[in-house]
Amino acid sequence: MDLAQANESQDTNQWISIRKRVRERKINVKTPPPSKKKVEEEVHPAASLNQDYMEQGDCDSQEDLFGDYDSFADDSGLLAQLEDAERHPVGTSSPLGNETGDWKGAVECPTTFQKPDLLNCLQNDENKMHKHPTEDADPGGEADKDLRRNKSNAATEQIYIKTLPVMHTGGMDEPDELPSSQLALMEEFNSPLIKQESNVLEPETSWRLNCCVGNHPDSTSGLDKKALNSNNRQNQSRTTNSGTSKQMSLKDQMKSAMAGNAKAPTPQTLRSNQLKAIVLSEEINVAMKTIEATSGIDMGPFYGLPSKVKDLIFQLKGIKELYEWQHTCLTLESVQERKNLIYSLPTSGGKTLVAEILIMQELLCRKKDVLFVLPYVAIVQEKVRGLSPFGIELNFLVEEYAGSKGKFPPIKRRQKNSLYIATIEKAHSLVNSLIETERINSVGLVVVDELHMLGEGSRGAILEMALSKILYISKTTQIIGMSATLNNVSDLQHFLKAEHYTSNFRPVQLKEYVKIRDSIYEVDNKSEDYFTFSRVLNYKYSSNMEKIDPDHLIALVAEVIPKHSCLVFCPTKKNCENVSKMLCKYLNKSFLALKEKEKHALIKELKNIGNGMICPILHGTVPYGLAYHHSGLTNDERKLIEEAYSEGVLCLLTCTSTLAAGVNLPARRVILRSPYVARDFLKRSQYKQMVGRAGRAGIDTEGESILISQEQDKQLVTDLVSRPLEGCYSNLIHGNEKGIKDLLLSLIGLKIAQTLDQIVEFMAGTLLGVQQQHLFKGKNFLEVIEQALEPLMEKGLINGKISSSSDGEEMYHKLEVTKLGHATFKGSIDLEYCDTLNMDLKKSLEGLVLGNYLHLIYLVTPYDMVSQCTPDWMIYFRQFHQLDVVEQKVFATVGVPESFLTKKASGQAVRKAADGFVVTRFYLSLVLYSLFKEMNTWAVALRFNMPRGFMQSLLNSAAAFASSVLHFCEELEEFWAYQALFSDLTHKLSYCVKPELVPLMEISGVREARARQLHHAGYKSLSYLANANPEVLVKTIEHMSKRQAIQIVFSAKMLLNEKAEALQEEVEELLRLPSDLPLQSVSTETAR
C-alpha cells in the first residue's frame, strides 16, 4: 500500500470515528432536570420538532419529500451523476477547505441538475416555508399560535445546543467523506454552540440552509409562474421586515440536504462507495420517519388543502374569497366527520364550488376516487373541461362517463386517483361494475348535483338504484347531495342517512313580478293575496303591434336590452323561434350597429358549422343581438350561442325550460312568456329554476323575473308563487314498476341479495322503502316485491322459486340470473326491449348483410326513439331507390319489402301489412346511415325534413345504445361474432366525422367545427394540443377565447395522461409476478 492510499484510509477512519462520537454524544448527553411541561420536548427532540412543524399554518404533510422519486438509492441516474461529478469535479476541491466558511460560494458553482420534477417540488416547498405563518389562516387565535410557535422554536434551539458537539471543519487535506450539504449543516450547528461558550447568544438563530435550489431557472408550469414570482417577492419583503428567519422544519431540512447532496460540487478525492451508501441509506431512513411523523389528512391552510388549490381557484374561476355560507358548510362538524350531507340553496348561490373543494379533499388528502353525478351530457362535458386544469396541476385524473364514453370497469390506477364525472345512467353502470369487481370501496366520495332528480321519472329511479347500492355495500363511502329545489328533505335524510344544511343566500337579490294585462305586481308573501301593485307598463303600441304582441313583450324587453341581458322562457320550441323573429321586427335599428363585427363573426362561425348553411331565423336575429336556444339546434350551434351570450355579443335569448336546468346562463331580467310548458302548467320547482337565472353575480346589483299571465290563470299563478316546492318521491314503482324490476334483476345478478328476505332487507333502505306508506296505498311491501319478480321469471331472466311453505314456516329460496338476465343488466338494456333485442340479434345471425353498415346500424337504432318519429312515405320510397342492390337487400332482411313502401307512397291500401314498429325503426336507421356516410347534419336534415337537433340526439342515442348492445353481446357466447363489429361501429357513431378529426374530438367539448379549425391550423392529434400554447391558440383559431384555449389544452393533457397511465398499468400488469406462481426450485431427489 502506497503513502496516498494509507493517508486516504487514515482520513476515512478518522471521519467514521467522528460520526460515532457524534451519535454517542447525542445518546449520552446529560441535561438538568426538566420541568413537567417540557418533559416530552427534551426527551424526544425529534418529536418536538415535528410538533413545531405541524403547528405551522402552511403545513403540507402529505406531499412527497422527494418529488417523483420513490428512492434516491434506487435512482441509478442520480447516482451515476454523483459518480461522474467525482471524476470530473467542478470548482474548488472542497468546501471544507474554505477558511472563512464561505459555504454559499461553494454551492453556487454552476452545476447541471437533471431532475426538474424534484427541483420544482423543492422550489414550491421553499416558497411555502417562506410564506407568512398567519396568511390564509382562520381569524382568531393568531396570538396564541405565534406564542406556541415561539416557545416551540426556543425549546428546539435549546435541544440542539445541548446535544450537538462542536465539529471542526477540518483542513484542506481531509477527504470529503460526508455529503457537502451535511457538512454545511454541521457548520451552522457549530455557530450557536460557539456563541453559548462565549455567553453571547443572539435572541434568534437562523437555521435556514442557503441551498442552491432557488438559483436555478423555474421550470414550473406557466399557470404557476406568476403566483410563484409574486410569492417570492412577498416572502422577501416579509423576511426583511422581520429581521429574522424562522427555523426550518425537519422535513424542509431533509429536502435541502437531499438537494444539496445531488448538486453540490465534490472534491477531487474519491469518496468511499461504502460510506456513501451508508450515508444515503441513513438520509432515506430519516426522511421516511419524517413522512410517518407528519402524515395525516390535513395538507394545508385552505380547508385542509394546499394553498395552491386556492390559487388555482382564483386563476381558473376568478374567485378570491368564499361566501360566508360556503365557509360555514365546509367547516360543519358533519363534514369534518365525513357524514353524508344534503345542502340546498337558491340557484346561483355557489353550491358547486363547495362540492369541488370536498372532491379535492378526498382526492388529495384521503387518496380515494370520487364519483361526480350530473344530470346532462353537456354539463358533464363542461365540468370535465373545467376540472381538467386542476387535475393536471394537482396530479389526479379526470375521466368522462357520458354518451358512449367510459370504460367498465374503470382502469385500476396505482399511482393516481380518479375523478369520474358521469351522467346518471353512466354512474349507475359504473357502480355496478365496481361492485362486481369488489372495488366499490375505492370510491371515497359520491357527489350528486340536482338531487331533486330522484323524483323525476325513470332517470330518478336509476339514480335511486345507484345510491341505494352504495349505501348498502360500502360503509366508507360518503355521499354529498345538493339542490336548489328540495321540500321533503326529511325523507331524503332518512334515505341517505345524511345531515342537512340550508341557507337562503343569493349573491344578487331577486325580485319576482307577475304581469297581468298592463299592470305589474310584485310577489309579496306577506300580503293576503301574495301580490303588491308595483307599476303600470308604459309603452306606445301601434294597432299593428298590439295585434302581434298582445302581451307587450316588446315593452318588457326594451327596458333592459341592449345595456343588460335578458332571457325569455317560452312554452314550446316553435314559440321560441317566433318570439325572436317578432322582437327583431320592432326593435330599434340602432341595435344593428352594436358589436357589429362580433355578430358578423358569429354568423360566419354558424355557417362554418353548417358547411355553408345557416338557419334563416338565426341569420335574421343575430345582427340584432338576439337568438333562440332549444333542442332543435345542434350541439355545436347551442355551444356557439351560449358562448356569444356569455361574452355579451348576444343580449337576449328566447329559450325553453331545459336551459334553466342546463348550463349556467344568468341574466339581468328573466321573462316567463307563459306559465305553461307545452300544455302542462308549471311546477313550483320549474318556476324556481327559471327565475333563479335572474341576477349576475359581480355584474348586477339585483335581478328580476316577470311572469306574464292571463286573467283566467291568476289563481293558478297565485298558487304557483306561494305554495311550497313539490315533494321528491321514489319512482321505482312508476311506469309499470319498471324501476323496481331493473333493480331486482341487478341485485340478484350482482349477488347483493338473492333470497326474498335479503331483498326485503335491501329494499327497506331505498327511498321507496322510506316512503312505502305514502306510495303503496294499502299494499304490502312484500307483495310488491313478489309481484315485480314474477315478470322477470316469465321473461327467463331469473331462475328459482321465490318462497315455499314447509310445516307452517315460510322458506326463501336462492334466486339466480340466467345468461340472458346477466347480459341484460350488464348492458343496461331496458327490460321492455331485452327479449326483442335478443330475437333481433339471433335472427340477423342467419343472414347478416356485411357489405355495408346499414344492417348493423339497424341493430343499434334505439327502440325508445321509435315513438318520436313518423315516416314520410315518399321520402322513404325515394331513399330506397337511391340505394344500391346490396343496401336494398337489407330492407327485405329486416322485414320492410319494396311492395309495402310502393303502396304506402302511392296511397294504396296495403293488404299484407308489415310490422309498424320495425318499419319506423328502419326509417330511423336510414337517417343514421345517411349521417354515417355523409357526415353533414344540414344536408341530411333537409333530405328527411327533420329538425337537425333531433337527428343529432338520435345519433348520440344510437352511439350510447351501441355501447350497451356491445356489453350485452359480450355476456352471451352465441353472439361472439358481433363483438368486434359493434366495437368498431360504436367508435364510428360516437364521432361520425372524418377519421382525421376523431383524435381531436376525443377531447371533451370539442365539436366537429372546432376540430376542423384545429386540424386546419396544424393541431392534428392529441399530443399536438397537449403541448400547445393557449396564447398561440387564441391568435391562430378564430373566435376562441383565452379561457376556452386553456380548457382545451388542459383537457388534451388530461386525456393524454389517462392514456399513458392506462398503458403503464397494462405494462406493469404484464410484468407482475403471479401471486400463485408454482415453486421454481427443483430438489435433488425430484431431479433424479
Side-chain angles (χ1 to χ4, degrees):
M1 179 185 296
D2 58 16
L3 185 59
Q5 291 175 332
N7 289 337
E8 181 178 347
S9 176
Q10 182 179 359
D11 292 337
T12 300
N13 293 334
Q14 179 182 358
W15 271 102
I16 294 175
S17 177
I18 290 174
R19 287 172 57 81
K20 289 181 178 178
R21 290 199 300 273
V22 171
R23 295 193 192 100
E24 292 172 359
R25 181 79 174 270
K26 287 181 180 178
I27 296 171
N28 298 326
V29 64
K30 295 181 180 180
T31 58
S35 64
K36 292 183 179 180
K37 293 182 179 180
K38 296 186 178 181
V39 169
E40 292 184 7
E41 289 183 336
E42 295 187 356
V43 173
H44 304 290
S48 174
L49 181 62
N50 289 336
Q51 181 181 1
D52 178 61
Y53 171 71
M54 291 301 292
E55 287 180 356
Q56 294 186 17
D58 292 338
C59 172
D60 188 0
S61 60
Q62 289 293 329
E63 187 176 348
D64 188 357
L65 292 175
F66 313 111
D68 292 336
Y69 294 105
D70 292 329
S71 169
F72 270 69
D74 294 336
D75 191 341
S76 59
L78 182 58
L79 295 178
Q81 187 178 357
L82 287 172
E83 292 174 358
D84 182 65
E86 292 177 4
R87 299 187 182 92
H88 306 285
V90 180
T92 59
S93 61
S94 171
L96 292 175
N98 192 336
E99 296 291 341
T100 62
D102 189 8
W103 164 245
K104 182 177 179 180
V107 174
E108 289 183 348
C109 292
T111 58
T112 302
F113 196 67
Q114 299 176 356
K115 301 289 180 183
D117 292 339
L118 174 62
L119 185 57
N120 292 344
C121 176
L122 296 172
Q123 287 173 328
N124 290 339
D125 245 70
E126 183 177 334
N127 289 338
K128 290 179 184 177
M129 290 306 300
H130 288 178
K131 196 170 183 180
H132 197 278
T134 61
E135 186 174 280
D136 296 329
D138 292 336
E142 300 293 342
D144 294 339
K145 289 182 180 179
D146 289 341
L147 183 59
R148 289 195 302 270
R149 186 180 294 110
N150 292 337
K151 287 181 179 180
S152 179
N153 289 344
T156 308
E157 182 175 321
Q158 292 176 10
I159 292 168
Y160 275 113
I161 292 173
K162 292 176 182 179
T163 59
L164 286 176
V166 177
M167 286 190 168
H168 63 283
T169 59
M172 288 287 291
D173 297 332
E174 290 179 336
D176 184 17
E177 298 290 344
L178 292 177
S180 306
S181 57
Q182 289 192 6
L183 295 173
L185 186 62
M186 293 176 187
E187 289 181 2
E188 292 211 9
F189 286 155
N190 287 342
S191 178
L193 296 178
I194 296 170
K195 291 180 182 179
Q196 183 187 30
E197 290 176 355
S198 61
N199 296 323
V200 184
L201 280 172
E202 295 289 335
E204 288 185 41
T205 304
S206 173
W207 299 87
R208 183 179 290 114
L209 299 177
N210 295 319
C211 292
C212 59
V213 174
N215 298 328
H216 282 264
D218 189 2
S219 59
T220 54
S221 66
L223 203 60
D224 291 327
K225 285 183 179 178
K226 292 182 180 179
L228 288 175
N229 292 338
S230 174
N231 217 13
N232 289 337
R233 288 194 296 271
Q234 293 173 6
N235 295 338
Q236 185 178 2
S237 174
R238 291 173 186 140
T239 305
T240 304
N241 292 338
S242 63
T244 61
S245 57
K246 293 188 175 296
Q247 174 186 328
M248 291 184 66
S249 70
L250 178 58
K251 175 180 171 182
D252 287 274
Q253 290 176 21
M254 288 306 309
K255 287 183 178 180
S256 299
M258 297 301 288
N261 294 345
K263 298 180 59 179
T266 57
Q268 293 181 0
T269 308
L270 292 176
R271 294 191 182 104
S272 166
N273 290 335
Q274 181 181 3
L275 184 58
K276 181 172 65 176
I278 293 172
V279 172
L280 188 59
S281 176
E282 288 181 358
E283 289 174 343
I284 293 174
N285 289 337
V286 172
M288 292 305 295
K289 291 178 181 178
T290 305
I291 293 173
E292 294 173 3
T294 59
S295 63
I297 63 169
D298 188 7
M299 293 183 63
F302 186 66
Y303 302 101
L305 291 166
S307 56
K308 185 176 182 179
V309 175
K310 182 178 181 181
D311 297 337
L312 287 172
I313 290 174
F314 173 65
Q315 292 171 28
L316 299 171
K317 296 177 176 289
I319 299 173
K320 290 184 178 180
E321 299 293 337
L322 269 62
Y323 296 128
E324 184 178 347
W325 83 263
Q326 292 172 325
H327 172 76
T328 303
C329 186
L330 287 168
T331 53
L332 288 172
E333 184 179 352
S334 57
V335 174
Q336 303 299 322
E337 296 175 358
R338 297 194 76 250
K339 294 181 180 178
N340 295 346
L341 176 70
I342 300 170
Y343 63 97
S344 53
L345 285 96
T347 303
S348 303
K351 298 183 294 295
T352 305
L353 181 59
V354 170
E356 290 173 356
I357 291 173
L358 293 173
I359 285 170
M360 283 184 273
Q361 286 179 352
E362 195 70 29
L363 289 165
L364 303 180
C365 301
R366 300 183 183 93
K367 302 296 182 183
K368 289 277 191 175
D369 296 334
V370 176
L371 173 58
F372 196 179
V373 186
L374 297 164
Y376 304 111
V377 174
I379 303 177
V380 168
Q381 293 173 341
E382 182 183 32
K383 194 58 63 180
V384 168
R385 291 195 302 272
L387 291 177
S388 289
F390 288 89
I392 294 295
E393 294 294 328
L394 302 172
N395 202 32
F396 62 84
L397 297 175
V398 179
E399 302 185 38
E400 179 182 347
Y401 280 78
S404 61
K405 292 185 177 180
K407 186 174 179 61
F408 302 103
I411 297 173
K412 190 174 183 180
R413 316 286 184 180
R414 292 178 177 82
Q415 302 298 327
K416 295 183 180 181
N417 292 104
S418 293
L419 168 58
Y420 309 115
I421 305 181
T423 57
I424 293 172
E425 293 79 7
K426 288 290 183 179
H428 183 224
S429 298
L430 184 64
V431 169
N432 283 345
S433 67
L434 290 172
I435 292 173
E436 188 173 26
T437 55
E438 299 182 350
R439 289 169 50 196
I440 190 63
N441 288 324
S442 66
V443 177
L445 174 66
V446 175
V447 177
V448 182
D449 193 9
E450 308 295 352
L451 187 63
H452 63 271
M453 292 287 291
L454 277 168
E456 297 189 11
S458 60
R459 304 191 77 214
I462 294 172
L463 180 58
E464 182 179 347
M465 292 182 220
L467 294 177
S468 299
K469 290 172 185 175
I470 294 169
L471 287 166
Y472 187 80
I473 295 174
S474 178
K475 306 303 181 185
T476 60
T477 302
Q478 183 184 18
I479 297 177
I480 303 289
M482 53 180 167
S483 177
T485 55
L486 288 176
N487 182 20
N488 55 333
V489 180
S490 59
D491 285 352
L492 300 181
Q493 282 185 262
H494 190 181
F495 166 47
L496 295 177
K497 303 176 180 61
E499 304 288 328
H500 180 231
Y501 174 83
T502 186
S503 171
N504 293 323
F505 171 81
R506 273 187 59 92
V508 178
Q509 183 184 3
L510 172 64
K511 292 186 177 180
E512 300 176 34
Y513 298 94
V514 174
K515 175 187 169 297
I516 302 176
R517 294 179 182 172
D518 285 341
S519 299
I520 297 179
Y521 302 88
E522 184 174 0
V523 176
D524 183 4
N525 292 328
K526 297 179 181 179
S527 175
E528 291 183 4
D529 58 356
Y530 296 99
F531 296 125
T532 301
F533 177 79
S534 177
R535 62 188 175 97
V536 174
L537 191 63
N538 185 17
Y539 192 85
K540 295 182 180 180
Y541 268 75
S542 64
S543 58
N544 190 32
M545 287 177 63
E546 193 75 37
K547 293 178 182 177
I548 296 176
D549 183 23
D551 295 326
H552 296 176
L553 189 60
I554 296 173
L556 294 174
V557 166
E559 289 179 344
V560 288
I561 64 169
K563 186 178 179 180
H564 300 289
S565 58
C566 182
L567 292 176
V568 180
F569 285 101
C570 302
T572 65
K573 290 183 283 189
K574 189 63 177 177
N575 192 239
C576 287
E577 299 172 12
N578 292 336
V579 168
S580 63
K581 286 193 296 183
M582 182 266 292
L583 291 174
C584 289
K585 187 175 181 179
Y586 292 101
L587 284 178
N588 195 302
K589 301 302 179 184
S590 61
F591 279 66
L592 296 171
L594 298 172
K595 298 191 176 182
E596 186 175 1
K597 183 179 178 181
E598 290 86 348
K599 294 172 185 174
H600 179 73
L602 176 59
I603 291 175
K604 183 180 178 182
E605 192 68 16
L606 287 169
K607 285 183 178 179
N608 290 338
I609 289 174
N611 292 321
M613 305 184 72
I614 184 174
C615 171
I617 298 175
L618 290 177
H619 192 271
T621 61
V622 168
Y624 285 89
L626 279 65
Y628 67 87
H629 183 289
H630 58 60
S631 60
L633 295 168
T634 65
N635 292 334
D636 284 344
E637 289 171 332
R638 284 202 298 269
K639 189 67 180 174
L640 263 182
I641 288 171
E642 290 165 6
E643 291 172 356
Y645 177 81
S646 299
E647 294 166 4
V649 178
L650 299 176
C651 58
L652 183 144
L653 295 181
T654 58
C655 50
T656 55
S657 59
T658 53
L659 182 69
V663 293
N664 186 21
L665 294 176
R668 172 64 177 269
R669 175 176 288 182
V670 170
I671 300 173
L672 278 67
R673 177 73 177 77
S674 167
Y676 289 87
V677 174
R679 296 181 180 181
D680 300 326
F681 198 81
L682 274 177
K683 295 179 181 179
R684 172 71 171 169
S685 58
Q686 291 175 317
Y687 170 77
K688 294 300 289 183
Q689 280 188 327
M690 291 180 187
V691 302
R693 295 300 182 194
R696 298 165 298 173
I699 300 176
D700 299 325
T701 55
E702 67 177 18
E704 56 186 18
S705 68
I706 301 176
L707 169 60
I708 299 175
S709 173
Q710 305 302 319
E711 188 70 40
Q712 62 267 25
D713 292 329
K714 185 175 180 180
Q715 186 57 48
L716 291 174
V717 170
T718 302
D719 295 338
L720 176 66
V721 299
S722 61
R723 67 171 177 253
L725 292 165
E726 293 84 8
C728 183
Y729 296 101
S730 172
N731 278 271
L732 286 178
I733 58 173
H734 290 178
N736 196 26
E737 299 182 343
K738 175 180 173 297
I740 193 171
K741 294 173 186 174
D742 284 332
L743 177 57
L744 293 177
L745 178 63
S746 62
L747 288 179
I748 299 168
L750 293 170
K751 300 180 181 180
I752 297 173
Q754 292 186 278
T755 61
L756 191 58
D757 55 337
Q758 292 174 347
I759 292 172
V760 170
E761 179 188 356
F762 178 92
M763 295 299 298
T766 62
L767 182 60
L768 177 65
V770 173
Q771 299 173 335
Q772 56 179 296
Q773 293 182 352
H774 175 81
L775 296 175
F776 288 162
K777 297 178 181 179
K779 284 187 179 181
N780 183 283
F781 200 8
L782 190 60
E783 292 177 1
V784 172
I785 295 173
E786 290 179 340
Q787 185 178 338
L789 286 170
E790 288 176 1
L792 298 179
M793 290 186 169
E794 293 173 2
K795 283 179 174 286
L797 302 176
I798 59 175
N799 284 329
K801 290 183 179 180
I802 298 176
S803 62
S804 62
S805 299
S806 177
D807 299 331
E809 293 185 2
E810 194 76 10
M811 297 181 63
Y812 300 115
H813 299 276
K814 188 176 182 180
L815 300 171
E816 294 182 349
V817 294
T818 62
K819 290 183 177 180
L820 177 60
H822 194 262
T824 300
F825 90 80
K826 282 294 291 286
S828 300
I829 305 297
D830 192 326
L831 291 179
E832 186 178 351
Y833 305 114
C834 66
D835 47 358
T836 305
L837 174 64
N838 189 40
M839 292 301 297
D840 285 344
L841 292 172
K842 284 183 177 180
K843 180 181 177 181
S844 297
L845 279 177
E846 300 172 3
L848 186 63
V849 180
L850 293 177
N852 51 67
Y853 279 94
L854 180 56
H855 200 169
L856 287 174
I857 287 175
Y858 170 74
L859 292 174
V860 299
T861 300
Y863 293 104
D864 56 354
M865 295 200 71
V866 173
S867 60
Q868 303 177 37
C869 174
T870 301
D872 185 312
W873 298 111
M874 281 303 299
I875 294 175
Y876 211 154
F877 180 75
R878 194 181 303 122
Q879 286 300 304
F880 173 83
H881 287 284
Q882 289 177 356
L883 299 176
D884 60 33
V885 177
V886 179
E887 291 167 333
Q888 288 178 354
K889 184 181 177 181
V890 183
F891 278 72
T893 304
V894 301
V896 184
E898 181 184 0
S899 58
F900 173 81
L901 291 179
T902 303
K903 291 182 179 180
K904 277 289 189 181
S906 61
Q908 299 178 25
V910 180
R911 294 182 180 179
K912 188 177 180 181
D915 187 333
F917 186 85
V918 173
V919 171
T920 305
R921 186 176 179 222
F922 194 71
Y923 186 72
L924 291 177
S925 302
L926 289 175
V927 177
L928 288 170
Y929 187 55
S930 297
L931 287 170
F932 185 83
K933 288 196 303 181
E934 297 186 22
M935 305 170 188
N936 188 332
T937 306
W938 268 95
V940 178
L942 292 174
R943 181 182 306 162
F944 286 90
N945 193 26
M946 282 184 174
R948 56 197 182 280
F950 172 79
M951 288 196 310
Q952 191 162 63
S953 176
L954 172 64
L955 184 61
N956 294 336
S957 297
F961 187 59
S963 177
S964 296
V965 175
L966 172 61
H967 293 306
F968 180 87
C969 292
E970 287 174 343
E971 302 302 321
L972 297 171
E973 294 180 3
E974 59 187 307
F975 296 144
W976 62 269
Y978 285 122
Q979 295 178 23
L981 297 172
F982 285 140
S983 178
D984 176 67
L985 182 63
T986 301
H987 186 75
K988 290 181 181 296
L989 285 175
S990 298
Y991 304 106
C992 210
V993 293
K994 294 179 180 179
E996 61 266 23
L997 299 182
V998 171
L1000 299 176
M1001 291 192 65
E1002 289 180 349
I1003 301 169
S1004 182
V1006 173
R1007 304 291 182 189
E1008 181 181 357
R1010 184 69 79 194
R1012 285 202 306 265
Q1013 281 184 317
L1014 292 168
H1015 190 272
H1016 182 71
Y1019 299 96
K1020 300 178 181 180
S1021 69
L1022 201 59
S1023 59
Y1024 281 78
L1025 275 178
N1027 293 284
N1029 185 335
E1031 295 181 0
V1032 175
L1033 273 180
V1034 172
K1035 295 178 181 178
T1036 306
I1037 307 299
E1038 287 186 323
H1039 319 303
M1040 179 179 284
S1041 66
K1042 187 174 181 180
R1043 176 175 170 272
Q1044 293 167 353
I1046 290 174
Q1047 286 187 342
I1048 286 176
V1049 170
F1050 275 102
S1051 295
K1053 287 182 178 179
M1054 178 58 66
L1055 190 56
L1056 201 62
N1057 282 356
E1058 286 180 22
K1059 292 189 174 185
E1061 288 279 338
L1063 291 173
Q1064 184 62 35
E1065 298 287 346
E1066 188 175 346
V1067 170
E1068 291 181 6
E1069 187 67 31
L1070 287 172
L1071 298 178
R1072 187 173 294 108
L1073 192 67
S1075 58
D1076 56 349
L1077 185 69
L1079 189 63
Q1080 297 300 299
S1081 61
V1082 181
S1083 64
T1084 306
E1085 294 181 1
T1086 305
R1088 291 177 181 175

